[in-house]
Amino acid sequence: MTNEFHRVLTMLRKERKLSQKQTAIDLGISQALLSHYEKGIRECGLDFILKVADYFEVSCDFLLGRSPDPKGATISVDEIPNSDLVKEQITPDKLISEANKKLIFNSITVLIDIIRKYDDKERKLMNETVAYIMMAVYNMFRIAHRANPYNSAELFSVDDSMAAALVRAQMSIGEAKVAAKAVSSAKSIKSNKHGDSSFEYTVSLESLSRDYSSYSTSLLNLIHNVEKKLK
């Protein structure tokens, strides 16, 4: 069985704020057995998967990691919503790149808005995140630029022999700053220093679907696609 099942099962239970004991009772199994399922120690049968799908109102494909959408829905490129930046006419030869472009644009839209919820007044987290994304785009553009030896070298003021190393250094610094700010924010939330419930926005399948509608589908598909490559 896919090793995604135990992860998704645990995530769904915790998102619903259900105890392991109560969930086990509702599903008609022992708490010990549910614990084994959640840890991936034991595999369950098809009947139990169907019962879990009904209990959490999600699809079996989602439980097994075959779909990033809780309902198991699949989308075509035409069904991915355009961000304000995507206005081009889609042609058959652009379908794959267009789909990925939409996923990236829409996912960045969600990312930036969530960061806004956790940021401080100086917008340090936002600024570093945006700078990181810009660096990544800049770096890949320079690499693509090398594909044609006749492309204008005067487009850039930083020498090609130094650019890649400098970009990697800046991205590493930016990533470290964002990570440090995220840890600081997490500590502040735990200690309840802010006293502002809006600051404590919780990211979950439910909140993504509720607050970002169809844009969340793009982000979930992007996560799914990237993690397939990581594995």
Side-chain angles (χ1 to χ4, degrees):
M1 182 184 295
T2 172
N3 58 7
E4 288 293 296
F5 176 73
H6 70 272
R7 179 186 68 83
V8 176
L9 174 60
T10 306
M11 176 185 68
L12 289 171
R13 179 180 62 77
K14 289 183 176 180
E15 281 196 359
R16 303 300 199 281
K17 294 181 171 55
L18 294 168
S19 67
Q20 215 174 51
K21 180 179 180 180
Q22 183 59 53
T23 304
I25 292 172
D26 293 343
L27 293 173
I29 60 174
S30 68
Q31 184 177 345
L33 182 56
L34 178 60
S35 176
H36 285 173
Y37 288 158
E38 289 190 355
K39 292 177 181 177
I41 297 174
R42 293 185 59 178
E43 292 189 357
C44 64
L46 178 59
D47 288 346
F48 184 73
I49 293 175
L50 294 172
K51 185 179 291 186
V52 171
D54 290 339
Y55 181 68
F56 288 112
E57 297 182 331
V58 298
S59 72
C60 292
D61 279 345
F62 177 71
L63 286 174
L64 297 175
R66 291 169 54 87
S67 169
D69 186 273
K71 300 300 181 184
T74 57
I75 56 174
S76 66
V77 64
D78 293 327
E79 293 172 320
I80 302 175
N82 278 323
S83 72
D84 292 338
L85 299 178
V86 184
K87 302 295 184 184
E88 300 176 16
Q89 179 66 34
I90 300 174
T91 56
D93 61 315
K94 293 182 179 178
L95 282 177
I96 295 178
S97 61
E98 186 65 24
N100 288 328
K101 184 164 64 174
K102 288 182 178 182
L103 292 185
I104 293 169
F105 280 139
N106 293 342
S107 296
I108 289 176
T109 298
V110 177
L111 168 65
I112 294 299
D113 194 62
I114 288 177
I115 285 174
R116 178 183 58 78
K117 300 179 189 298
Y118 295 136
D119 215 354
D120 55 25
K121 293 181 179 179
E122 296 178 3
R123 295 297 185 204
K124 292 179 182 178
L125 187 56
M126 177 75 74
N127 293 338
E128 291 295 342
T129 301
V130 171
Y132 184 93
I133 295 171
M134 290 172 65
M135 286 283 178
V137 173
Y138 169 86
N139 191 45
M140 295 309 296
F141 179 77
R142 288 202 67 144
I143 291 173
H145 183 270
R146 298 187 197 122
N148 186 341
Y150 298 106
N151 283 338
S152 173
E154 287 71 31
L155 185 63
F156 308 105
S157 60
V158 177
D159 187 82
D160 195 52
S161 62
M162 300 174 57
L166 291 173
V167 165
R168 285 195 296 270
Q170 287 297 320
M171 289 180 72
S172 294
I173 293 171
E175 183 177 349
K177 288 181 177 179
V178 170
K181 184 65 177 67
V183 170
S184 175
S185 295
K187 289 181 179 178
S188 296
I189 291 174
K190 283 188 175 181
S191 61
N192 200 29
K193 289 180 180 179
H194 289 266
D196 180 2
S197 60
S198 64
F199 184 84
E200 301 180 21
Y201 181 80
T202 302
V203 178
S204 64
L205 290 172
E206 182 181 0
S207 65
L208 288 173
S209 299
R210 179 189 67 234
D211 299 332
Y212 301 103
S213 187
S214 52
Y215 272 32
S216 65
T217 303
S218 294
L219 177 61
L220 293 173
N221 273 276
L222 183 143
I223 292 171
H224 181 73
N225 293 343
V226 169
E227 291 196 337
K228 280 176 63 178
K229 289 183 176 296
L230 296 179
K231 294 173 182 178

